Amino acid sequence: MFLAAEGRPDQDAAELAAVRDVCGDRVRLVATQGALGHLGSGGPAMDVALGVRALRTGLVPPTATREPLLYGAADRLGRVEAPLRNVLVVAAGHEGGVGTLVLEAAR
């Protein structure tokens, strides 16, 4: 799951709590902004491209950050090789809009 992870502790904690409420601890988490910066409207497109790459290669990219790793999610943020069937990309705008895209591996 590619998180919006805007780098604001209150928003990031709320996002992680929502993910845990729905998915528990079953999903790998990726937050790209720590490594790539805030790309504005290009951020979600970059996450989609990285999600497609993860589906093709089976490599989940790591999360680079200097902050506490999403408040207790550190065990699910490192680079890992894993068979993937789906990737969820979450995008959040500054005005409060949120969008999601589910990518599915070709069969």
Side-chain angles (χ1 to χ4, degrees):
M1 178 180 296
F2 284 74
L3 301 171
E6 293 289 322
R8 292 186 46 193
D10 58 334
Q11 290 179 351
D12 290 353
E15 182 178 21
L16 184 59
V19 168
R20 284 188 170 149
D21 284 350
V22 174
C23 302
D25 289 331
R26 299 180 307 223
V27 298
R28 296 296 305 180
L29 304 175
V30 177
T32 60
Q33 289 198 39
L36 303 176
H38 196 289
L39 302 175
S41 59
M46 180 62 75
D47 285 347
V48 169
L50 290 170
V52 168
R53 184 173 184 272
L55 285 172
R56 284 186 175 166
T57 64
L59 296 173
V60 179
T63 295
T65 180
R66 286 185 255 160
E67 300 300 319
L69 293 177
L70 283 176
Y71 319 99
D75 61 323
R76 291 178 288 133
L77 290 170
R79 179 180 183 270
V80 67
E81 189 169 344
L84 299 173
R85 294 182 308 206
N86 301 295
V87 170
L88 176 68
V89 177
V90 179
H94 293 293
E95 300 295 321
V98 175
T100 58
L101 175 67
V102 177
L103 304 171
E104 185 175 5
R107 295 178 188 197

